[in-house]
């Protein structure tokens, strides 16, 4: 199933009279970038957590966070980071003196700053803590993947609609191009007639010249490759593995083929269709950047 690179998931598990919460979020990135923010008590579990996440996510900037939530009713405790608080008091007093203000400092306000008050986690039972973390991580990953897959299905539907539009344009371009040899022949005969240079339609020299012009404007290869790329594109969209990189590469190839078609085609009516094709391809390329 196709997945988006953007997602969020949360898992919780009771531990030590409180709750251990794991959150996983991700945004677009070409490669996998995984950042972990775990409590010191769970530092030993980071390596395994990274393996678990990397086993389910192939690319994207992923943030894994874990924290303890201890309800006030459970009587949680906290300690003061006295070294940080003392430093803040000294710097605050010095700053007030420099500003010709009273040196009095509101210590209670400084204690509200991040890092001054540190909540104590429940007493650690390493096995129970690891079990709680793994449970919360498993639920967070499941929630995270559900969201990514829902968005992936929406992206797939959008890409299929746009692919159908490309196939319609491809059909129109093929129809216009099919009449090119005869149109080139008639145009060449008309030019010769205007110049009062009557030439038979089966004159060998005319046929050689006609073959030269038809060969220069022959877009059969480009149309054939585009048909093949469309088939591959649909196959990737039905794949059960991560195909974002494959789709990105294929989109570049499709864009290259339609550009070559536009440069070679000698049928004026095809120009607006090529422009429309490219505009639709740009939208497809933007959507693919969101896929894992």
């Amino acid at each position: 199933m196709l997945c988006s690179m953007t997602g969020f998931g949360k898992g919780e598990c009771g531990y030590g009279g409180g709750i251990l919460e794991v959150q996983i979020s991700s945004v677009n990135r070409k490669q996998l970038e995984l950042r972990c923010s775990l409590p010191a008590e769970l530092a030993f579990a980071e390596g395994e957590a990274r393996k678990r996440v990397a086993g389910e996510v192939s690319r994207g900037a992923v943030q894994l966070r874990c924290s303890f939530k201890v309800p006030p009713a459970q009587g949680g405790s906290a300690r003061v980071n006295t070294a940080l608080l003392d430093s803040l008091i000294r710097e605050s007093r010095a700053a007030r003196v420099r500003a010709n203000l009273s040196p009095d400092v509101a210590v209670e306000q400084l204690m509200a700053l991040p890092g001054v008050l540190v909540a104590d986690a429940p007493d650690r039972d390493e096995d129970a803590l690891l079990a709680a973390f793994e449970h919360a991580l498993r639920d967070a990953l499941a929630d995270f993947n559900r969201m990514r897959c829902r968005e992936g299905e929406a992206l797939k539907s959008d890409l299929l609609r746009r692919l159908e539009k490309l196939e319609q344009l491809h059909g129109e371009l093929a129809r216009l191009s099919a009449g090119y040899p005869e149109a080139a022949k008639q145009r060449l005969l008309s030019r010769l007639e205007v110049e009062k240079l009557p030439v038979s339609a089966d004159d060998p020299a005319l046929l050689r010249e006609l073959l030269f012009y038809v060969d220069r404007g022959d877009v059969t290869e480009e149309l054939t490759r585009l048909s093949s790329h469309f088939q591959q594109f649909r196959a990737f969209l039905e794949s059960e593995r991560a195909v974002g990189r494959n789709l990105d590469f294929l989109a570049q190839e499709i864009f290259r083929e339609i550009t070559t078609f536009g440069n070679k085609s000698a049928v004026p009516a095809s120009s607006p269709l090529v422009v429309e094709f490219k505009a639709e391809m740009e939208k497809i390329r933007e959507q693919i950047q969101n896929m894992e």
Side-chain angles (χ1 to χ4, degrees):
M1 181 178 293
L2 294 178
C3 290
S4 167
M5 275 193 283
T6 303
F8 175 82
K10 183 173 72 171
E12 296 180 341
C13 186
Y15 173 73
I19 295 175
L20 184 69
E21 180 183 84
V22 173
Q23 293 184 359
I24 304 176
S25 58
S26 67
V27 294
N28 298 355
R29 197 73 86 242
K30 287 187 176 182
Q31 306 297 330
L32 176 60
E33 296 179 14
L34 176 57
R35 297 179 182 176
C36 293
S37 177
L38 305 181
E41 294 83 358
L42 275 167
F44 70 94
E46 181 174 335
E48 189 59 33
R50 284 180 173 274
K51 289 181 183 178
R52 286 285 303 279
V53 175
E56 300 196 32
V57 183
S58 63
R59 65 174 185 160
V62 183
Q63 178 75 53
L64 170 66
R65 301 181 184 86
C66 178
S67 60
F68 292 106
K69 298 197 316 186
V70 184
Q74 298 294 332
S77 61
R79 56 185 173 82
V80 177
N81 186 338
T82 54
L84 176 59
L85 180 59
D86 290 345
S87 176
L88 290 171
I89 291 172
R90 288 195 301 272
E91 294 297 329
S92 298
R93 283 175 175 167
R96 292 181 65 84
V97 169
R98 287 196 299 271
N100 294 320
L101 299 174
S102 166
D104 296 335
V105 176
V107 177
E108 65 278 5
Q109 293 182 8
L110 294 178
M111 292 181 69
L113 294 176
V116 177
L117 275 180
V118 182
D120 287 330
D123 292 337
R124 187 174 78 176
D125 176 341
E126 191 166 289
D127 291 339
L129 177 59
L130 180 59
F133 176 63
E134 289 178 343
H135 184 282
L137 177 60
R138 182 174 62 251
D139 288 352
L141 276 170
D143 191 31
F144 174 68
N145 285 328
R146 278 193 296 270
M147 180 176 179
R148 293 196 309 136
C149 288
R150 282 196 301 269
E151 291 196 11
E153 284 300 301
L155 287 172
K156 176 182 176 180
S157 297
D158 183 73
L159 288 172
L160 283 172
R161 285 194 299 269
R162 297 189 185 282
L163 182 59
E164 289 175 1
K165 177 63 176 178
L166 293 186
E167 289 172 332
Q168 292 173 6
L169 291 170
H170 176 274
E172 294 180 44
L173 291 170
R175 179 180 57 80
L176 289 172
S177 301
Y180 169 65
E182 182 61 28
K185 178 179 178 180
Q186 294 304 321
R187 188 160 57 246
L188 189 55
L189 288 172
S190 298
R191 288 286 301 276
L192 291 171
E193 186 176 349
V194 169
E195 298 296 330
K196 297 181 180 180
L197 297 171
V199 177
S200 171
D202 57 358
D203 183 273
L206 173 65
L207 293 176
R208 282 196 300 271
E209 194 70 14
L210 180 61
L211 182 61
F212 171 75
Y213 282 109
V214 168
D215 187 60
R216 285 184 58 186
D218 184 16
V219 291
T220 304
E221 288 187 19
E222 287 70 29
L223 289 171
T224 301
R225 289 195 191 101
L226 283 172
S227 294
S228 175
H229 291 338
F230 293 156
Q231 293 176 10
Q232 287 181 286
F233 203 98
R234 287 185 179 277
F236 283 137
L237 289 178
E238 298 301 329
S239 176
E240 293 297 319
R241 58 191 179 87
V243 293
R245 292 188 183 92
N246 303 78
L247 288 172
D248 191 25
F249 173 77
L250 193 55
Q252 294 178 44
E253 289 299 297
I254 292 174
F255 200 88
R256 186 176 65 82
E257 292 296 344
I258 193 61
T259 298
T260 304
F261 178 100
N263 292 336
K264 289 176 64 175
S265 178
V267 181
S270 68
S271 295
L273 297 179
V274 170
V275 171
E276 187 176 356
F277 192 110
K278 286 185 174 182
E280 201 66 27
M281 270 309 303
E282 284 295 345
K283 295 173 184 176
I284 287 177
R285 290 168 74 175
E286 289 176 5
Q287 290 287 54
I288 290 174
Q289 300 310 310
N290 299 316
M291 303 191 73
E292 183 182 4

